[in-house]
Amino acid sequence: VNGIEIYSMKIDSKVTSRFAHNVITSRAVNRGNVHKEVFFDVELPKTAFITNFSMTIDGVTYPGTIKEKEVAKKQYEKAVSKGQTAGLVKASGRKTEKFTVSVNIEAASKVTFELIYEELLKRQFGKYEMFIKVKPKQLVKNFEIEVNIFEPQGITELEAEGTFITNELQNIIKKTFSEEKGHISFKPTLDQQRTCANCSQSVLDGDFTVRYDVKRTTPDNLQIVNGYFVHFFAPTNLPKLPKNVVFVIDISGSMSGRGIEQTREALLKILDDIKEDDFFNFILFGSEVHTWKETLIKATPKNLDEARKFVRGIDTKGLTNLHGGIMRGIDMLNAAHEGNLVPKRSASIIIMLTDGQPNVGISNTQDIQAHVKKAIEGKYPLYDLGFGYGVDYNFLEKMALENKGLARRIYPDSDAALQLQGFYDEVSNPMLVDVELNYPENEISDLTKNSFKHFYDGSEIVVAGRFIDNNQNSLTVDVRGEGANDALSYTTQQDAEQTAQVFQEQKYIFGDYIERLWAYLTIEQLLEKRIAATGEEKENLTAEALDLSLKYKFVTPLTSMVVTKPEDYNNQDGIADKPVEGIDIFTILLYLRSQQFHCHNVRAELCPCVSLYKYQQFAFTVDGDPHFIISVPQKEDAICFNINENPGAVLNLINDPVTGITVNGELIGDKRVNSDAKIQNTYFGKLGIANKHLDLKLTVTPEKITIQNGNEKTGFTWLDSVTLQQEGLTLVINRKKNLVLSMGSGASFVIVLHQVWKKHPLHQDFLGLYTLESDKLSEQTHGLLGQFFHPIDFTILEIHPGSDPKKPDATMIVKNNELTVTRGWQKDYRRDPNDGVDVPCWFVHNNGAGLIDGLHTDYIVSSLF
């Protein structure tokens, strides 16, 4: 592609006792006659930690070095602008993160990229699963996936499948296993990779998944190597425990439409799976809290039929009284146990589904967490499912982890119902409760988590630890748990020699795998504990996790890997970070929090209806037919207005005399006058951003981007991918999407490109402007947008039906003016430039009259600069 040939790509995985060590090696050559940029682009599982990366160019190796995140940032601050990292890893898709490195190499030069990552494979539904993303983007002469598995317990089944595997390719997957060893290889020839006989497109694009399980002659397995042990516990053939499950479901207005349909669909499927010994109930929360039954009831065929009727009738209404809903669920479970309404030997679970943030009743998330923790008292797990991107995922995760459960994001796609059902399936078959794995205290230190509220069928409990005496080579373990009929206890003994014998003939086993497995598990659990911790406890957990991440060279949320490159051709060093769920990484420079809301059925006394942006610095935007959106964080709401002016007019958006930054925008109209419309559409067709202290001017149109530095001019088009850094300026152009600009220590701006169909009879391409970190501008900042960088307050009174039944009117008191405003939506295009995300806001009519200082015509200026 473009003169660069990837002639070899190998994915080599070695799995030892569930611990996977993966090496991806890619070799490329520049076949062109000028220097070219080569990309190494791989996707790896979110659950994995990168441990190493290197680039070898013409025999010279450039290694990645893992450092504390703050140290890495400081070291590369000059190269990658103040406090921001040129990131190499982005969250991408549900299960994966994308690692991308590019380097310029000379004509005829060769480069080898090598990335190593490790993870502990988890058992689910009776199988371990390893997931490999395959996407070479071109035909590769030598392409190979090789997986070697070594399991001391012996392998009972092994399967490999790919979403891109055709019947012909199925025969190329070679798979063998016997006793402890399993082997898979997939090595398609060039012709087998083609989408058709003479095509140059590759068919290799999708997921390659390996699944296997091990023999279980005993309930558990213990392995000891080099002073560390790992203990796997997964008993089989136990009688199922009855379960008591409370479903707490968000039915606020924002769930309406597809969201509630998919929820109903999933709940109906779940009702088909509930066993007759189980007890259950539904709690619905909008502004009010409603329950199906007053208490938990048994899943008899008659009750299940009644439940199906109830579920089919669930509809949306009101706001989000999350606290009321969850507390009702906990109180109901507590009452069921205290009143002996449910079997003594049973497992209780709360599953909560929400798509928004609490805004009725108690809406402070810390208060909700405290109330929930106090009410549950560790008696049963809470599982929080966050539907879509409007949730405060960090809050849901903290609350679940504090109560022995976990949080999961449900992606708002066509398969959302399957995702919900899939989660229920994971927890639908509890076998044991209160499982404790006890090890001799005087022999073991640094033990990972060893008590578990529930053990679910098809899963596995893993505990690892370190011997105090490195030479000790035997261990006795005692496991206890409460089963369906009685208390169970198991005792296991193992010595190091038994493990060593099993491993003897294995050349490819790395000797420290149990130690690395222990480190991986310990870091994962410390990071999890850290989520809900505060103060000194959080500091200690952070220090411990950081220490281990550095010692074992894992890229975790506390460390970064600095990747250095040759100095010629403007190669720029980059930093690989671990993305964190709950924060979407938007561009390579900026962390943005995306919120998505719709507002329906607004009840008069309960507005503002939704929270909007968490962080004030991303709150000021202008996009579309000059839609100005002003976020008011303390109100968790927004105000918006339009400016209707003639094409050709230049409006002053931001003017800060202290930092010297000004932003002006020139309006364009549609290609022709729309005779049906009273007011003609106008958009920003040209933006001018200047910093007079630095003598810098940036002009942006939908065609090109020009930087003028003094008398020097540099030009780019939207087809370029650029990261430009010079004194006082950082500019990143994300090809055909957006650009990000920072000037001096002042604010940053994102400009989004909107491209319409070239032959569109009416509309033409236009631009949107988003301001970030506006608090870095001075208090003297003004302009149509700039005046709102200072805190603004407003009061909403007398909500009443407006001319559009879906959009109520209200009276707003702002800046001592009384205005009639309408509840509506504006589009935020930062995340999705095509369709945008609906942002609810109070719309101020008449060009913002009464909200903006003076008249809108006061902001018309003579030229862009």
Side-chain angles (χ1 to χ4, degrees):
V1 176
N2 190 22
I4 296 291
E5 181 197 343
I6 299 171
Y7 60 91
S8 163
M9 186 168 227
K10 177 157 188 185
I11 300 163
D12 180 34
S13 297
K14 293 182 174 42
V15 183
T16 311
S17 297
R18 299 54 155 176
F19 195 63
H21 176 85
N22 307 286
V23 183
I24 299 179
T25 312
S26 173
R27 301 172 195 276
V29 59
N30 180 358
R31 297 272 184 224
N33 48 16
V34 292
H35 69 86
K36 291 251 165 87
E37 194 170 17
V38 189
F39 284 88
F40 173 69
D41 202 345
V42 293
E43 291 187 47
L44 52 143
K46 281 181 181 175
T47 43
F49 291 148
I50 292 172
T51 68
N52 202 0
F53 171 76
S54 67
M55 255 179 323
T56 304
I57 301 167
D58 296 334
V60 181
T61 298
Y62 299 86
T65 51
I66 293 175
K67 307 189 172 202
E68 183 182 350
K69 185 171 261 181
E70 291 309 309
V71 173
K73 263 192 183 174
K74 283 199 181 90
Q75 182 183 344
Y76 281 82
E77 212 146 51
K78 287 197 181 75
V80 288
S81 121
K82 294 198 169 87
Q84 297 164 326
T85 58
L88 307 176
V89 186
K90 296 182 195 180
S92 85
R94 298 177 188 179
K95 295 206 268 189
T96 56
E97 291 163 0
K98 194 178 209 161
F99 177 90
T100 310
V101 167
S102 69
V103 63
N104 274 293
I105 59 169
E106 290 182 45
S109 274
K110 286 184 174 177
V111 58
T112 300
F113 299 102
E114 184 185 81
L115 178 73
I116 302 176
Y117 63 91
E118 294 178 340
E119 69 171 323
L120 178 63
L121 304 179
K122 293 193 171 56
R123 188 168 183 253
Q124 245 183 359
F125 304 122
K127 287 181 186 154
Y128 304 98
E129 180 177 290
M130 184 164 76
F131 164 88
I132 296 168
K133 192 83 175 170
V134 176
K135 196 171 185 171
K137 295 185 187 164
Q138 59 168 270
L139 300 173
V140 178
K141 197 159 124 196
N142 300 310
F143 181 91
E144 184 180 6
I145 296 175
E146 185 173 25
V147 181
N148 283 296
I149 300 170
F150 182 77
E151 286 290 349
Q153 285 165 272
I155 296 170
T156 53
E157 55 181 317
L158 176 64
E159 57 191 61
E161 60 181 33
T163 51
F164 53 87
I165 297 289
T166 56
N167 289 343
E168 186 195 351
L169 286 175
Q170 191 63 51
N171 306 326
I172 308 167
I173 300 179
K174 300 279 180 272
K175 163 180 101 165
T176 55
F177 69 97
S178 64
E179 298 304 323
E180 296 98 6
K181 293 185 206 170
H183 180 255
I184 284 170
S185 83
F186 174 63
K187 208 172 170 179
T189 63
L190 271 177
D191 284 341
Q192 287 164 333
Q193 292 172 42
R194 296 179 197 278
T195 45
C196 65
N198 296 315
C199 300
S200 58
Q201 296 295 105
S202 172
V203 77
L204 305 182
D205 182 358
D207 305 342
F208 188 84
T209 307
V210 174
R211 292 187 192 87
Y212 72 92
D213 199 20
V214 301
K215 280 192 187 118
R216 296 180 198 280
T217 46
T218 57
D220 57 356
N221 175 259
L222 193 56
Q223 296 170 27
I224 301 170
V225 177
N226 294 348
Y228 288 81
F229 77 87
V230 61
H231 184 196
F232 300 105
F233 177 74
T236 49
N237 304 323
L238 291 175
K240 284 192 169 53
L241 263 173
K243 67 178 180 296
N244 317 306
V245 58
V246 177
F247 297 95
V248 181
I249 308 291
D250 181 346
I251 57 157
S252 62
S254 52
M255 281 287 286
S256 72
R258 197 80 183 97
I260 205 73
E261 275 169 38
Q262 292 172 317
T263 303
R264 285 196 293 258
E265 189 186 326
L267 290 174
L268 288 169
K269 289 264 180 25
I270 286 168
L271 286 171
D272 292 343
D273 283 343
I274 286 184
K275 323 277 185 302
E276 191 156 352
D277 289 341
D278 294 344
F279 283 73
F280 71 108
N281 202 348
F282 296 102
I283 290 170
L284 311 179
F285 65 92
S287 298
E288 311 289 330
V289 177
H290 304 280
T291 59
W292 170 48
K293 298 286 182 190
E294 283 310 300
T295 60
L296 285 161
I297 67 160
K298 198 165 191 233
T300 61
K302 180 173 172 289
N303 286 339
L304 286 169
D305 277 345
E306 202 186 320
R308 287 185 186 96
K309 275 195 198 105
F310 173 77
V311 166
R312 287 190 188 101
I314 293 176
D315 207 356
T316 55
K317 187 177 184 187
L319 305 178
T320 310
N321 185 358
L322 187 146
H323 176 264
I326 187 110
M327 291 306 285
R328 181 78 60 91
I330 298 167
D331 292 345
M332 192 179 281
L333 257 184
N334 286 344
H337 281 283
E338 284 157 19
N340 294 322
L341 301 175
V342 293
K344 204 160 188 57
R345 289 193 170 277
S346 60
S348 293
I349 297 169
I350 299 184
I351 297 176
M352 179 177 75
L353 171 72
T354 180
D355 78 329
Q357 299 185 27
N359 52 23
V360 176
I362 294 177
S363 57
N364 178 310
T365 51
Q366 284 174 325
D367 292 347
I368 297 173
Q369 272 168 245
H371 292 184
V372 166
K373 190 175 178 182
K374 192 174 172 195
I376 291 182
E377 287 182 312
K379 293 192 289 283
Y380 27 78
L382 164 66
Y383 295 105
D384 288 338
L385 306 180
F387 195 103
Y389 299 103
V391 290
D392 181 344
Y393 191 84
N394 291 349
F395 153 63
L396 294 180
E397 188 170 40
K398 269 184 192 168
M399 188 161 68
L401 290 171
E402 276 188 330
N403 295 288
K404 302 188 177 178
L406 53 86
R408 184 74 60 83
R409 197 188 282 287
I410 302 296
Y411 293 85
D413 292 335
S414 56
D415 68 341
L418 287 172
Q419 295 175 57
L420 287 167
Q421 202 190 323
F423 175 79
Y424 171 78
D425 291 345
E426 284 176 49
V427 296
S428 63
N429 292 316
M431 299 302 210
L432 295 171
V433 297
D434 297 322
V435 181
E436 296 274 347
L437 300 94
N438 298 309
Y439 306 84
E441 276 180 33
N442 55 348
E443 295 175 10
I444 299 297
S445 72
D446 301 319
L447 194 62
T448 60
K449 179 178 166 180
N450 66 327
S451 73
F452 299 83
K453 195 68 210 163
H454 290 173
F455 167 72
Y456 297 107
D457 191 25
S459 70
E460 179 173 68
I461 286 172
V462 184
V463 181
R466 194 156 68 93
F467 288 104
I468 291 171
D469 173 2
N470 212 8
N471 298 319
Q472 182 176 334
N473 54 15
S474 69
L475 184 63
T476 304
V477 185
D478 175 38
V479 184
R480 293 170 191 277
E482 298 291 332
N485 305 323
D486 46 19
L488 300 175
S489 78
Y490 306 92
T491 303
T492 306
Q493 269 188 312
Q494 175 73 345
D495 65 51
E497 276 173 26
Q498 287 169 288
T499 310
Q501 275 172 346
V502 184
F503 285 98
Q504 232 164 16
E505 75 277 24
Q506 296 318 310
K507 300 278 185 288
Y508 63 76
I509 302 304
F510 47 111
D512 62 351
Y513 86 93
I514 289 187
E515 186 178 342
R516 291 193 71 78
L517 184 159
W518 164 82
Y520 173 96
L521 201 54
T522 304
I523 292 168
E524 191 178 57
Q525 291 174 4
L526 288 168
L527 292 171
E528 203 170 85
K529 273 193 202 157
R530 180 176 170 262
I531 289 169
T534 53
E536 196 178 335
E537 187 197 359
K538 184 165 189 163
E539 284 173 25
N540 293 340
L541 291 167
T542 303
E544 206 179 327
L546 172 62
D547 199 39
L548 285 172
S549 303
L550 290 170
K551 181 178 176 184
Y552 291 96
K553 297 191 164 41
F554 285 129
V555 177
T556 69
L558 304 174
T559 52
S560 297
M561 183 167 65
V562 177
V563 175
T564 50
K565 302 183 191 176
E567 287 174 4
D568 41 9
Y569 305 124
N570 289 333
N571 279 316
Q572 283 198 325
D573 298 342
I575 293 182
D577 285 327
K578 178 101 183 136
V580 181
E581 179 61 73
I583 297 177
D584 300 310
I585 295 185
F586 164 58
T587 69
I588 63 172
L589 281 189
L590 293 157
Y591 285 66
L592 279 159
R593 186 72 182 258
S594 144
Q595 305 277 22
Q596 179 172 359
F597 294 106
H598 307 276
C599 194
H600 303 271
N601 316 333
V602 178
R603 293 268 302 277
E605 69 278 9
L606 294 173
C607 260
C609 126
V610 288
S611 60
L612 196 63
Y613 296 108
K614 261 298 180 54
Y615 306 125
Q616 189 165 355
Q617 62 260 42
F618 327 142
F620 309 99
T621 65
V622 49
D623 207 333
D625 175 12
H627 302 315
F628 290 74
I629 307 178
I630 312 302
S631 172
V632 184
Q634 72 274 22
K635 278 276 192 281
E636 297 200 328
D637 209 341
I639 305 175
C640 44
F641 61 95
N642 288 356
I643 296 291
N644 302 306
E645 200 39 76
N646 294 327
V650 179
L651 299 172
N652 173 236
L653 305 176
I654 299 167
N655 180 21
D656 179 5
V658 177
T659 59
I661 291 178
T662 57
V663 182
N664 293 330
E666 184 178 320
L667 297 177
I668 52 168
D670 280 331
K671 290 178 183 170
R672 55 184 172 75
V673 171
N674 179 356
S675 50
D676 302 336
K678 274 190 280 189
I679 297 172
Q680 296 303 316
N681 286 331
T682 50
Y683 313 89
F684 282 114
K686 195 185 268 189
L687 289 168
I689 302 179
N691 184 329
K692 64 171 190 276
H693 299 340
L694 296 173
D695 201 7
L696 275 176
K697 290 176 185 169
L698 179 84
T699 310
V700 183
T701 71
E703 292 73 49
K704 60 178 197 276
I705 298 133
T706 313
I707 300 171
Q708 190 167 348
N709 191 344
N711 296 324
E712 276 179 48
K713 266 193 182 178
T714 316
F716 301 101
T717 75
W718 282 101
L719 296 174
D720 296 322
S721 285
V722 174
T723 302
L724 174 77
Q725 277 149 348
Q726 55 190 64
E727 204 180 337
L729 171 87
T730 303
L731 173 71
V732 178
I733 300 173
N734 294 307
R735 176 185 155 91
K736 287 186 165 179
K737 284 190 186 148
N738 55 46
L739 68 79
V740 186
L741 170 78
S742 314
M743 281 183 169
S745 58
S748 303
F749 304 97
V750 179
I751 295 176
V752 176
L753 172 67
H754 296 283
Q755 289 186 309
V756 298
W757 175 47
K758 283 281 169 272
K759 294 179 182 167
H760 195 291
L762 197 60
H763 300 320
Q764 44 186 344
D765 297 351
F766 64 96
L767 304 168
L769 171 78
Y770 295 76
T771 309
L772 310 173
E773 302 174 294
S774 56
D775 51 342
K776 289 188 175 173
L777 293 171
S778 82
E779 289 187 3
Q780 295 175 40
T781 304
H782 209 266
L784 268 173
L785 262 187
Q787 62 188 294
F788 298 106
F789 296 170
H790 323 301
I792 176 175
D793 200 10
F794 65 87
T795 308
I796 292 289
L797 306 168
E798 302 157 13
I799 298 176
H800 53 273
S803 54
D804 177 339
K806 283 189 180 165
K807 297 180 176 177
D809 281 352
T811 300
M812 173 185 281
I813 296 172
V814 62
K815 292 187 178 177
N816 294 329
N817 295 321
E818 211 170 281
L819 312 175
T820 297
V821 294
T822 303
R823 193 70 184 169
W825 296 271
Q826 295 289 19
K827 291 282 192 191
D828 177 342
Y829 290 99
R830 275 177 314 200
R831 221 191 132 76
D832 179 350
N834 298 331
D835 302 323
V837 169
D838 286 327
V839 174
C841 58
W842 291 109
F843 184 79
V844 178
H845 303 270
N846 306 327
N847 293 307
L851 170 69
I852 62 173
D853 296 339
L855 302 170
H856 82 275
T857 48
D858 300 343
Y859 298 87
I860 295 175
V861 291
S862 57
S863 66
L864 215 50
F865 294 111

